[in-house]
Amino acid sequence: MRIGELSKLTNTSRRLLRYYEEQGLIVAERSPNGYRAYDERFVDRVLQIRGLLDAGLPTRIIKQILPCLDKPRVIYFPDATPEMIATLETELEQLNQRIECLTRNRDAVAEYLESVRDYRSSDAA
């Protein structure tokens, strides 16, 4: 797919996609006319990158984490400094807290929806 389509599917600007490419986070093939061509797998990859950036991780750490998201996995960690490990531990804890909060919210919405549906079906009877 071309950069415009990837941009649209991920709601990410073309400029930002080119930046991700410069940082080595995604890779584009070049067609004979010079246009960038991206594999379909980069839709998920860009969304993962955005999520990690939103979580506060710098691109240098994201670049090292990305292989963990691929299958088969080839993990490369020669630059794993104590600072990076501490950053990842903090990020992991924050992600776990967000997951717990989202799970509670999902369960509350599901319970509410079930109650509303039960009420409406008993009211209709």
Side-chain angles (χ1 to χ4, degrees), residues 8-110:
K8 185 176 182 179
L9 289 171
T10 60
N11 197 27
T12 303
S13 72
R14 294 174 189 204
R15 182 177 178 195
L16 199 49
L17 292 172
R18 286 190 288 273
Y19 173 74
Y20 293 167
E21 189 177 343
E22 288 172 14
Q23 297 299 307
L25 302 175
I26 60 175
V27 179
E29 300 292 325
R30 292 290 185 154
S31 61
N33 60 7
Y35 290 142
R36 288 175 170 85
Y38 296 93
D39 188 275
E40 295 286 329
R41 69 187 171 95
F42 286 116
V43 173
D44 286 334
R45 172 58 53 95
V46 168
L47 296 174
Q48 290 169 328
I49 291 167
R50 292 191 57 182
L52 292 167
L53 285 168
D54 289 346
L57 289 176
T59 55
R60 68 179 171 77
I61 292 178
I62 292 172
K63 186 175 181 179
Q64 292 178 325
I65 292 172
L66 287 177
C68 297
L69 304 173
D70 291 335
K71 292 181 182 178
R73 292 182 173 152
V74 179
I75 300 174
Y76 179 75
F77 53 87
D79 300 332
T81 63
E83 175 192 64
M84 185 180 98
I85 292 168
T87 300
L88 291 174
E89 287 171 343
T90 299
E91 176 57 24
L92 181 60
E93 179 56 32
Q94 290 174 350
L95 286 170
N96 284 330
Q97 289 173 4
R98 279 186 256 165
I99 289 168
E100 289 173 17
C101 181
L102 286 170
T103 300
R104 284 192 312 269
N105 290 345
R106 181 204 58 206
D107 293 347
V109 168

